[in-house]
Amino acid sequence: MSPLDIQVLQDQKALGILTALLRKERIPHALLLTGVEGIGKRPAALLFAMACNCRRIADGEAAVSAGAGIEAVAGCSCRSCRKILSGSHPDIHRVAPSGRMIKIERVRELCHTLSMKPYEAGLRVVIMEEAQAMNPESSNALLKMLEEPPDRTVFILTAPTPDDLLPTIASRCQTIRFHPLPQARVAAMLQERYGISPEDADALAILATGSPGRIDTGRPAERQAWIRRRRWILGRLAEMLTRSGRDLPVSSLLAVAERLSRKKAAVDGMLDIIKTWLRDLVVCRHCPDQVYHQEALNEIQRISFTFTEKSLLSKIEAVDAAQRDLRSNANIRLTLEVMVLQLAKK
Ligand SMILES: [Zn+2]
């Protein structure tokens, strides 16, 4: 999926708001695009930057209309749009975390650049990705720029929610929220685009939880490996829960932890899959139609009622705890063993 390909799957309402701002030429100094990772905030920011500076629009050969929206520039190959897409436009500035932070040096450098006149742009655009990664120093430097916005410049920040930023920054931005897409829509797209079975498409869509950019569906071999790993872990999980507290030897539980730990890069994703299944065990009691794994609804209900809700919630917490520990570099094998033993507890 190319970055701009995803826009066909984005929250149309959010794109509609961006379109309306352009059409009414009421572009605020700062926008904040919020929503989960992979939902398409960055492609939307790029489209916006393209639409603001597109040569074909400037020459009257194309237009951002209510019907076509800002997606009208998605396939544009004018000089300006091409430069923006290749990252070589002198007036479109992209700032992203280096490591885990947006460092003050980068914000200062940006501040210096913006103090000069734009080179060629109709509107200079600063795209600050994952703005929540700014430390207090960087935040304050950005705040100064937002208080006295440079000429013909729009800041587009992206973050999961407005609460992830300093209130003084969030309040200076117009917030546009990107809502997750319905699972069925993501599944239908995956099936059509990659020619995979409805069952596999559903499985991938669950993983994406409304956010198509989150799944790397580019390489068929990887996709297949992921589907195999998913089947394996869900099989083991069902076995653990069905035989919970009885006749399941500890050695076989530890073997599951060992096998999980072998592919380190895939562990976090596997734990996410376990969590969606545990979530279903809780949700099926209250609203069965909201269960992600509809194909296994009977089995999910059968297993669910052999546990108390409290016990199910503590299992979800155990997986959360394992994910947290692994992200802070805890011993992988040991962490997974502890988690598996908790999952198998009655
Ligand atoms: Zn263009």
Side-chain angles (χ1 to χ4, degrees):
M1 222 181 266
S2 84
L4 285 177
D5 228 11
I6 295 171
Q7 53 91 12
V8 297
L9 285 154
Q10 275 175 344
D11 182 348
Q12 293 301 313
K13 200 172 152 205
L15 292 183
I17 297 171
L18 289 172
T19 302
L21 291 174
L22 275 168
R23 292 190 64 222
K24 290 181 191 151
E25 295 185 3
R26 232 186 265 153
I27 299 169
H29 290 303
L31 289 166
L32 169 60
L33 313 186
T34 64
V36 295
E37 188 197 325
I39 191 83
K41 305 185 293 290
R42 187 180 29 181
L46 275 176
L47 276 180
F48 193 81
M50 285 160 72
C52 289
N53 293 292
C54 178
R55 305 298 269 234
R56 290 180 59 232
I57 291 180
D59 295 343
E61 293 165 23
V64 170
S65 65
I70 57 169
E71 297 97 311
V73 291
C76 184
S77 57
C78 78
R79 216 179 84 227
S80 171
C81 287
R82 266 189 292 131
K83 275 190 184 171
I84 293 175
L85 277 178
S86 66
S88 61
H89 195 298
D91 294 315
I92 308 300
H93 305 280
R94 292 175 72 171
V95 180
S98 70
R100 294 167 73 171
M101 272 208 293
I102 294 178
K103 298 203 175 97
I104 180 67
E105 292 77 17
R106 180 70 185 98
V107 182
R108 279 204 192 114
E109 186 191 314
L110 178 73
C111 187
H112 175 71
T113 312
L114 296 182
S115 68
M116 294 179 288
K117 279 198 171 355
Y119 287 90
E120 53 186 71
L123 190 68
R124 195 155 52 175
V125 183
V126 177
I127 300 175
M128 194 171 262
E129 293 167 35
E130 296 178 57
Q132 75 277 12
M134 283 186 294
N135 60 17
E137 238 185 329
S138 307
S139 296
N140 283 321
L142 173 69
L143 186 59
K144 285 213 182 85
M145 285 191 273
L146 294 180
E147 283 168 346
E148 286 174 43
D151 196 27
R152 280 192 293 140
T153 304
V154 55
F155 288 85
I156 307 181
L157 279 57
T158 73
T161 73
D163 296 339
D164 295 311
L165 303 179
L166 282 183
T168 41
I169 290 184
S171 67
R172 284 194 156 72
C173 301
Q174 175 172 342
T175 299
I176 300 176
R177 186 168 169 218
F178 283 67
H179 294 267
L181 296 168
Q183 190 187 317
R185 194 158 149 228
V186 177
M189 179 283 288
L190 292 171
Q191 206 187 323
E192 186 192 309
R193 204 171 269 211
Y194 300 110
I196 53 181
S197 73
E199 192 198 337
D200 290 343
D202 277 343
L204 280 167
I206 290 166
L207 178 77
T209 47
S211 166
R214 205 184 263 171
I215 22 176
D216 176 17
T217 46
R219 276 163 286 183
E222 270 183 26
R223 201 158 58 228
Q224 282 309 325
W226 179 85
I227 287 168
R228 271 199 309 277
R229 281 200 300 273
R230 171 182 176 273
R231 285 203 187 119
W232 172 78
I233 191 61
L234 287 184
R236 297 294 74 69
L237 182 65
E239 185 180 53
M240 270 184 237
L241 297 173
T242 310
R243 296 167 63 181
S244 173
R246 297 181 282 127
D247 68 346
L248 194 63
V250 170
S251 61
S252 75
L253 292 173
L254 299 182
V256 172
E258 190 276 325
R259 172 111 183 256
L260 254 182
S261 72
R262 272 189 230 160
K263 200 159 167 37
K264 201 176 169 195
V267 169
D268 197 53
M270 288 294 106
L271 300 194
D272 275 341
I273 291 170
I274 296 178
K275 273 202 302 196
T276 62
W277 226 75
L278 293 171
R279 168 215 175 262
D280 278 357
L281 290 175
V282 177
V283 168
C284 75
R285 299 168 171 227
H286 307 286
C287 15
D289 60 320
Q290 295 290 312
V291 163
Y292 284 142
H293 300 87
Q294 282 296 329
E295 79 286 354
L297 185 60
N298 285 342
E299 190 183 12
I300 285 170
Q301 282 176 322
R302 182 176 55 72
I303 294 175
S304 173
F305 286 102
T306 64
F307 291 94
T308 62
E309 190 157 321
K310 194 173 159 211
S311 153
L312 291 173
L313 292 172
S314 76
K315 291 180 197 305
I316 296 177
E317 175 46 39
V319 184
D320 268 334
Q323 283 182 311
R324 271 198 306 275
D325 290 351
L326 291 175
R327 279 170 197 154
S328 48
N329 289 324
N331 179 306
I332 181 166
R333 179 86 176 267
L334 190 65
T335 305
L336 292 173
E337 285 179 352
V338 170
M339 182 197 80
V340 166
L341 291 173
Q342 278 171 308
L343 287 177
K345 244 202 247 163
K346 190 69 221 165

mmCIF file of all heavy atoms in Angstrom, residues 74-100:
data_model
loop_
_atom_site.group_PDB
_atom_site.id
_atom_site.type_symbol
_atom_site.label_atom_id
_atom_site.label_comp_id
_atom_site.label_asym_id
_atom_site.label_seq_id
_atom_site.Cartn_x
_atom_site.Cartn_y
_atom_site.Cartn_z
ATOM 1 N N ALA A 74 -4.593 13.557 -5.369
ATOM 2 C CA ALA A 74 -3.844 12.336 -5.009
ATOM 3 C C ALA A 74 -2.959 11.819 -6.148
ATOM 4 O O ALA A 74 -1.845 11.390 -5.929
ATOM 5 C CB ALA A 74 -4.790 11.242 -4.547
ATOM 6 N N GLY A 75 -3.483 11.866 -7.364
ATOM 7 C CA GLY A 75 -2.692 11.324 -8.474
ATOM 8 C C GLY A 75 -1.959 12.398 -9.256
ATOM 9 O O GLY A 75 -1.440 12.137 -10.340
ATOM 10 N N CYS A 76 -1.912 13.605 -8.720
ATOM 11 C CA CYS A 76 -1.355 14.725 -9.492
ATOM 12 C C CYS A 76 0.152 14.577 -9.697
ATOM 13 O O CYS A 76 0.877 14.157 -8.813
ATOM 14 C CB CYS A 76 -1.647 16.047 -8.803
ATOM 15 S SG CYS A 76 -1.087 17.441 -9.793
ATOM 16 N N SER A 77 0.603 14.936 -10.916
ATOM 17 C CA SER A 77 2.039 14.818 -11.173
ATOM 18 C C SER A 77 2.632 16.165 -11.563
ATOM 19 O O SER A 77 3.624 16.238 -12.274
ATOM 20 C CB SER A 77 2.287 13.773 -12.268
ATOM 21 O OG SER A 77 1.560 14.147 -13.429
ATOM 22 N N CYS A 78 1.996 17.241 -11.106
ATOM 23 C CA CYS A 78 2.589 18.553 -11.388
ATOM 24 C C CYS A 78 3.903 18.673 -10.618
ATOM 25 O O CYS A 78 4.166 17.876 -9.710
ATOM 26 C CB CYS A 78 1.632 19.683 -11.028
ATOM 27 S SG CYS A 78 1.554 20.036 -9.258
ATOM 28 N N ARG A 79 4.707 19.687 -10.974
ATOM 29 C CA ARG A 79 6.034 19.804 -10.369
ATOM 30 C C ARG A 79 5.949 19.903 -8.850
ATOM 31 O O ARG A 79 6.668 19.224 -8.120
ATOM 32 C CB ARG A 79 6.721 21.042 -10.941
ATOM 33 C CG ARG A 79 8.210 20.831 -11.113
ATOM 34 C CD ARG A 79 8.868 22.058 -11.706
ATOM 35 N NE ARG A 79 9.175 23.021 -10.655
ATOM 36 C CZ ARG A 79 8.901 24.305 -10.716
ATOM 37 N NH1 ARG A 79 8.278 24.798 -11.755
ATOM 38 N NH2 ARG A 79 9.238 25.106 -9.735
ATOM 39 N N SER A 80 5.016 20.722 -8.391
ATOM 40 C CA SER A 80 4.910 20.939 -6.948
ATOM 41 C C SER A 80 4.496 19.663 -6.207
ATOM 42 O O SER A 80 5.118 19.278 -5.216
ATOM 43 C CB SER A 80 3.903 22.068 -6.691
ATOM 44 O OG SER A 80 3.619 22.162 -5.334
ATOM 45 N N CYS A 81 3.440 18.989 -6.716
ATOM 46 C CA CYS A 81 2.969 17.773 -6.049
ATOM 47 C C CYS A 81 4.051 16.697 -6.045
ATOM 48 O O CYS A 81 4.239 16.002 -5.052
ATOM 49 C CB CYS A 81 1.698 17.247 -6.719
ATOM 50 S SG CYS A 81 0.250 18.257 -6.349
ATOM 51 N N ARG A 82 4.781 16.581 -7.165
ATOM 52 C CA ARG A 82 5.836 15.561 -7.217
ATOM 53 C C ARG A 82 6.923 15.841 -6.186
ATOM 54 O O ARG A 82 7.401 14.954 -5.504
ATOM 55 C CB ARG A 82 6.441 15.503 -8.626
ATOM 56 C CG ARG A 82 5.761 14.435 -9.516
ATOM 57 C CD ARG A 82 6.510 14.264 -10.812
ATOM 58 N NE ARG A 82 6.370 15.471 -11.634
ATOM 59 C CZ ARG A 82 7.373 16.103 -12.219
ATOM 60 N NH1 ARG A 82 8.599 15.658 -12.108
ATOM 61 N NH2 ARG A 82 7.151 17.194 -12.929
ATOM 62 N N LYS A 83 7.289 17.128 -6.076
ATOM 63 C CA LYS A 83 8.322 17.500 -5.104
ATOM 64 C C LYS A 83 7.856 17.210 -3.673
ATOM 65 O O LYS A 83 8.634 16.765 -2.838
ATOM 66 C CB LYS A 83 8.637 18.989 -5.215
ATOM 67 C CG LYS A 83 9.645 19.335 -6.262
ATOM 68 C CD LYS A 83 10.009 20.784 -6.057
ATOM 69 C CE LYS A 83 10.954 21.301 -7.094
ATOM 70 N NZ LYS A 83 11.104 22.759 -6.959
ATOM 71 N N ILE A 84 6.589 17.492 -3.418
ATOM 72 C CA ILE A 84 6.081 17.258 -2.058
ATOM 73 C C ILE A 84 6.134 15.764 -1.738
ATOM 74 O O ILE A 84 6.606 15.359 -0.680
ATOM 75 C CB ILE A 84 4.647 17.806 -1.896
ATOM 76 C CG1 ILE A 84 4.668 19.342 -1.984
ATOM 77 C CG2 ILE A 84 4.029 17.350 -0.559
ATOM 78 C CD1 ILE A 84 3.308 20.003 -1.948
ATOM 79 N N LEU A 85 5.702 14.955 -2.701
ATOM 80 C CA LEU A 85 5.699 13.506 -2.460
ATOM 81 C C LEU A 85 7.111 12.940 -2.290
ATOM 82 O O LEU A 85 7.320 12.010 -1.513
ATOM 83 C CB LEU A 85 4.991 12.780 -3.605
ATOM 84 C CG LEU A 85 3.468 12.727 -3.487
ATOM 85 C CD1 LEU A 85 2.881 12.030 -4.703
ATOM 86 C CD2 LEU A 85 3.042 12.007 -2.213
ATOM 87 N N SER A 86 8.061 13.531 -3.020
ATOM 88 C CA SER A 86 9.421 12.989 -2.913
ATOM 89 C C SER A 86 10.177 13.622 -1.748
ATOM 90 O O SER A 86 11.335 13.295 -1.500
ATOM 91 C CB SER A 86 10.180 13.200 -4.221
ATOM 92 O OG SER A 86 10.372 14.589 -4.421
ATOM 93 N N GLY A 87 9.539 14.549 -1.053
ATOM 94 C CA GLY A 87 10.183 15.159 0.112
ATOM 95 C C GLY A 87 11.210 16.213 -0.254
ATOM 96 O O GLY A 87 12.054 16.563 0.555
ATOM 97 N N SER A 88 11.144 16.740 -1.495
ATOM 98 C CA SER A 88 12.175 17.712 -1.892
ATOM 99 C C SER A 88 11.616 19.119 -2.107
ATOM 100 O O SER A 88 12.277 19.976 -2.685
ATOM 101 C CB SER A 88 12.871 17.216 -3.170
ATOM 102 O OG SER A 88 11.928 17.105 -4.216
ATOM 103 N N HIS A 89 10.387 19.349 -1.677
ATOM 104 C CA HIS A 89 9.827 20.698 -1.821
ATOM 105 C C HIS A 89 10.425 21.602 -0.745
ATOM 106 O O HIS A 89 10.362 21.277 0.435
ATOM 107 C CB HIS A 89 8.299 20.636 -1.691
ATOM 108 C CG HIS A 89 7.626 21.881 -2.177
ATOM 109 N ND1 HIS A 89 7.835 23.113 -1.611
ATOM 110 C CD2 HIS A 89 6.751 22.096 -3.202
ATOM 111 C CE1 HIS A 89 7.111 24.021 -2.254
ATOM 112 N NE2 HIS A 89 6.450 23.428 -3.231
ATOM 113 N N PRO A 90 11.007 22.751 -1.145
ATOM 114 C CA PRO A 90 11.723 23.563 -0.144
ATOM 115 C C PRO A 90 10.810 24.223 0.903
ATOM 116 O O PRO A 90 11.302 24.681 1.932
ATOM 117 C CB PRO A 90 12.426 24.627 -0.987
ATOM 118 C CG PRO A 90 11.651 24.684 -2.262
ATOM 119 C CD PRO A 90 11.101 23.308 -2.494
ATOM 120 N N ASP A 91 9.521 24.276 0.634
ATOM 121 C CA ASP A 91 8.634 24.960 1.586
ATOM 122 C C ASP A 91 7.702 24.021 2.349
ATOM 123 O O ASP A 91 6.811 24.464 3.056
ATOM 124 C CB ASP A 91 7.788 26.008 0.856
ATOM 125 C CG ASP A 91 8.657 27.125 0.318
ATOM 126 O OD1 ASP A 91 9.532 27.597 1.077
ATOM 127 O OD2 ASP A 91 8.480 27.503 -0.850
ATOM 128 N N ILE A 92 7.879 22.730 2.144
ATOM 129 C CA ILE A 92 7.078 21.774 2.913
ATOM 130 C C ILE A 92 8.035 21.100 3.885
ATOM 131 O O ILE A 92 8.983 20.418 3.476
ATOM 132 C CB ILE A 92 6.409 20.711 2.003
ATOM 133 C CG1 ILE A 92 5.640 21.376 0.856
ATOM 134 C CG2 ILE A 92 5.497 19.787 2.821
ATOM 135 C CD1 ILE A 92 4.509 22.319 1.263
ATOM 136 N N HIS A 93 7.825 21.322 5.148
ATOM 137 C CA HIS A 93 8.776 20.818 6.152
ATOM 138 C C HIS A 93 8.151 19.701 6.950
ATOM 139 O O HIS A 93 7.066 19.864 7.500
ATOM 140 C CB HIS A 93 9.188 21.952 7.099
ATOM 141 C CG HIS A 93 9.724 23.130 6.354
ATOM 142 N ND1 HIS A 93 11.005 23.174 5.872
ATOM 143 C CD2 HIS A 93 9.124 24.286 5.957
ATOM 144 C CE1 HIS A 93 11.186 24.318 5.231
ATOM 145 N NE2 HIS A 93 10.053 25.013 5.267
ATOM 146 N N ARG A 94 8.835 18.578 6.996
ATOM 147 C CA ARG A 94 8.311 17.465 7.785
ATOM 148 C C ARG A 94 9.205 17.223 8.989
ATOM 149 O O ARG A 94 10.415 17.100 8.869
ATOM 150 C CB ARG A 94 8.217 16.203 6.920
ATOM 151 C CG ARG A 94 7.151 16.358 5.844
ATOM 152 C CD ARG A 94 7.123 15.194 4.910
ATOM 153 N NE ARG A 94 6.563 14.004 5.543
ATOM 154 C CZ ARG A 94 6.280 12.898 4.866
ATOM 155 N NH1 ARG A 94 6.504 12.841 3.568
ATOM 156 N NH2 ARG A 94 5.775 11.856 5.489
ATOM 157 N N VAL A 95 8.575 17.184 10.138
ATOM 158 C CA VAL A 95 9.311 16.945 11.377
ATOM 159 C C VAL A 95 8.752 15.668 11.994
ATOM 160 O O VAL A 95 7.542 15.521 12.122
ATOM 161 C CB VAL A 95 9.118 18.119 12.374
ATOM 162 C CG1 VAL A 95 9.898 17.863 13.655
ATOM 163 C CG2 VAL A 95 9.525 19.434 11.734
ATOM 164 N N ALA A 96 9.630 14.737 12.321
ATOM 165 C CA ALA A 96 9.178 13.490 12.952
ATOM 166 C C ALA A 96 10.163 13.156 14.065
ATOM 167 O O ALA A 96 11.284 13.672 14.075
ATOM 168 C CB ALA A 96 9.125 12.371 11.912
ATOM 169 N N PRO A 97 9.749 12.307 15.007
ATOM 170 C CA PRO A 97 10.670 11.967 16.087
ATOM 171 C C PRO A 97 11.930 11.304 15.535
ATOM 172 O O PRO A 97 11.852 10.524 14.595
ATOM 173 C CB PRO A 97 9.888 10.955 16.932
ATOM 174 C CG PRO A 97 8.470 11.127 16.530
ATOM 175 C CD PRO A 97 8.471 11.612 15.125
ATOM 176 N N SER A 98 13.069 11.647 16.110
ATOM 177 C CA SER A 98 14.272 10.871 15.795
ATOM 178 C C SER A 98 14.559 10.091 17.066
ATOM 179 O O SER A 98 14.731 10.668 18.123
ATOM 180 C CB SER A 98 15.434 11.770 15.399
ATOM 181 O OG SER A 98 15.905 12.491 16.486
ATOM 182 N N GLY A 99 14.537 8.769 16.941
ATOM 183 C CA GLY A 99 14.506 7.945 18.154
ATOM 184 C C GLY A 99 13.115 8.080 18.741
ATOM 185 O O GLY A 99 12.128 7.950 18.017
ATOM 186 N N ARG A 100 13.031 8.408 19.997
ATOM 187 C CA ARG A 100 11.694 8.492 20.597
ATOM 188 C C ARG A 100 11.219 9.914 20.799
ATOM 189 O O ARG A 100 10.136 10.146 21.309
ATOM 190 C CB ARG A 100 11.690 7.745 21.940
ATOM 191 C CG ARG A 100 11.893 6.253 21.732
ATOM 192 C CD ARG A 100 12.211 5.567 23.009
ATOM 193 N NE ARG A 100 11.035 5.461 23.872
ATOM 194 C CZ ARG A 100 11.020 4.749 24.987
ATOM 195 N NH1 ARG A 100 12.091 4.120 25.373
ATOM 196 N NH2 ARG A 100 9.928 4.669 25.709
#
